[in-house]
Amino acid sequence: MARTGESYSTARRHVAGAPAPVAHGGYRLRGGTHPVSAALAGVLAHHGVRAAGAELSEAVLFGLAGGPGAGYILWEFERDGSRPVVLGFSAQWQYIDRAPLAALQRLGVPAAVERTGGAVTAARTLGAALDAGTPALVWPDRYVAGYWHLPAILDGMGGHPVVVHGRDGDRYRLDDRTLAPLTVPVGRFDAARARVGSYRNLMVVPRPEGDVPEEVLRGAVLEAIADCATRLGGTSTSFALPAWAKWARTVTDARAAKGWPRVFADGHGLAWALTSVWEGASPAGMTGGHLRDLTAAFLEEVEPLVGATAPAARAWRAAAAAWHEVAETALPVDVPEFARLRELTAAVQQAVVAEGDAGAGDAEAAAAELWALRAEVDAAPPLTTPERDDLFAGLADRLRAAHAAEKAAVGELAAIG
């Protein structure tokens, strides 16, 4: 995982084959890559939903939710001096619930959407859904939820959707792309749901009414592909492919307000930014990585249904390779401190995903070392000024290559249908 940037599930398959799904209280834990699409796949499979004779895979649901996205933000926080990078690799990444709702709407699957500011009402509504045997998608704050063992500076910084699929006494049963049982105390999790004001206590409960007809699935796939091509092919420098070109320019632009040579002139915060680029683009992070391989898998799986998707799938595989090079350049493994950051990030994910509750101690220990080392190298990055400038130049080149690969891939998407 640390060397290749693969997710735990993928890396494990290379060594030991695909793990058998584990049932936790009647809900099947299947792992996954992207929080939204993995959650949808788990819930719809729990309800026995099938389309074209098979369960809806994570890859297909990723495509139906809008597929890949584009977005880049370099934050500068005065409160702690951190300068993290946020990357938007999935559709509608800037809006919390639009992607899962888009997938469900395209499939014709009804869903209840609950938004309440009251903790008591939110807990009661979630409990009612669980009592009815309907797992729910919820959006807890990662820091407050606790099992990723994040530092306090990330309190209130948000999180991704997870599935709550049951309750054992004073603990909720969760699925966060996990392969082993994972639970969180009810009080802590209720607080995590309420932590972020913009989507406090948001809950989406899919309530399918049967299988999805093949003609509905085909129409949904074609609509999602066309929407993705239009969205990514737009002119926005924040939410379309031009975001990558803008980022590539600022990495070496010393005059721009957000130019990296200017922002990181004193070196402070650079390691955080570089690590967040690697985490954001790598499946070893918490949000699934660049997701270009998942896009290709979607296109490969739907070819029997809509035809002529192979050229687009190959183009997105090429884009995936380009983003892998971006991640490798941002946090080079030949720098010992950076290599250790990668190892510790992978260790935390392995403990959470593979072991769930049983890995809590390992996750906590790895996370403690990880965040201590991040703080250390963030204050004094292990790069000389010439090394830093060379890294910036290399990163800009890799970003331009990724941008070019995605332009070609979007062109192939636009040709489908």
Side-chain angles (χ1 to χ4, degrees):
M1 290 169 62
R3 186 182 71 254
T4 65
E6 292 174 322
S7 68
Y8 172 79
S9 300
T10 301
R12 185 189 186 283
R13 280 196 295 271
H14 294 322
V15 179
V22 172
H24 185 202
Y27 178 93
R28 186 159 40 114
L29 301 172
R30 310 176 348 148
T33 299
H34 181 236
V36 168
S37 49
L40 288 173
V43 171
L44 293 182
H46 179 78
H47 286 291
V49 176
R50 301 175 73 84
E55 289 183 348
L56 289 157
S57 71
E58 180 191 359
V60 169
L61 285 161
F62 175 72
L64 293 176
Y72 158 79
I73 301 173
L74 170 61
W75 292 106
E76 297 180 75
F77 292 118
E78 292 185 4
R79 66 179 184 180
D80 57 22
S82 64
R83 294 160 183 174
V85 171
V86 174
L87 301 176
F89 282 119
S90 60
Q92 305 289 354
W93 62 273
Q94 68 275 33
Y95 301 107
I96 293 299
D97 59 351
R98 289 191 184 182
L101 292 177
L104 294 170
Q105 183 178 30
R106 286 179 174 130
L107 290 170
V109 175
V113 182
E114 303 288 346
R115 306 174 192 271
T116 176
V120 174
T121 300
R124 184 170 59 246
T125 304
L126 174 57
L130 298 178
D131 289 343
T134 51
L137 278 68
V138 298
W139 281 256
D141 179 77
R142 291 190 197 102
Y143 169 77
V144 179
Y147 56 89
W148 289 105
H149 302 282
L150 300 175
I153 57 174
L154 295 180
D155 183 6
M157 298 298 286
H160 54 260
V162 303
V163 178
V164 182
H165 57 86
R167 178 171 172 171
D168 294 322
D170 63 350
R171 301 181 74 90
Y172 287 123
R173 299 196 297 261
L174 303 188
D175 178 13
D176 188 352
R177 299 154 296 166
T178 45
L179 297 168
L182 175 67
T183 63
V184 174
V186 166
R188 178 192 299 170
F189 195 76
D190 287 344
R193 292 183 60 203
R195 178 65 181 87
V196 182
S198 59
Y199 53 89
R200 180 179 291 117
N201 296 320
L202 171 63
M203 182 174 75
V204 173
V205 184
R207 292 174 175 164
E209 299 173 341
D211 290 346
V212 177
E214 185 170 318
E215 62 273 18
V216 172
L217 179 60
R218 182 178 187 277
V221 166
L222 290 173
E223 177 185 299
I225 289 173
D227 174 71
C228 181
T230 298
R231 178 171 33 80
L232 289 181
T235 59
S236 172
T237 58
S238 299
F239 309 119
L241 293 191
W244 305 140
K246 180 180 178 181
W247 181 16
R249 289 192 302 272
T250 62
V251 168
T252 56
D253 188 347
R255 294 175 297 177
K258 286 287 187 177
W260 282 40
R262 181 173 178 175
V263 172
F264 299 109
D266 60 359
H268 185 75
L270 175 59
W272 188 302
L274 295 176
T275 303
S276 58
V277 170
W278 182 78
E279 283 184 332
S282 165
M286 290 184 291
T287 56
H290 55 66
L291 305 172
R292 274 48 188 164
D293 285 325
L294 196 60
T295 305
F298 159 63
L299 293 165
E300 291 161 356
E301 290 187 30
V302 300
E303 185 168 34
L305 193 66
V306 302
T309 61
R314 288 192 295 271
W316 283 104
R317 293 285 182 199
W323 278 107
H324 176 73
E325 292 302 317
V326 170
E328 292 297 295
T329 302
L331 202 67
V333 73
D334 58 356
V335 178
E337 294 87 345
F338 291 168
R340 186 58 179 159
L341 287 174
R342 290 163 61 140
E343 291 170 357
L344 291 166
T345 300
V348 173
Q349 193 200 67
Q350 188 273 340
V352 172
V353 170
E355 302 174 52
D357 287 347
D362 291 340
E364 183 177 13
E369 184 181 348
L370 169 65
W371 288 99
L373 180 58
R374 282 184 67 150
E376 179 183 327
V377 297
D378 206 44
L383 298 173
T384 65
T385 298
E387 289 171 339
R388 182 204 66 188
D389 292 343
D390 287 345
L391 188 151
F392 286 176
L395 184 58
D397 287 343
R398 298 293 188 234
L399 287 167
R400 284 190 286 268
H403 179 235
E406 297 219 337
K407 287 180 68 175
V410 168
E412 294 291 353
L413 276 186
I416 296 173

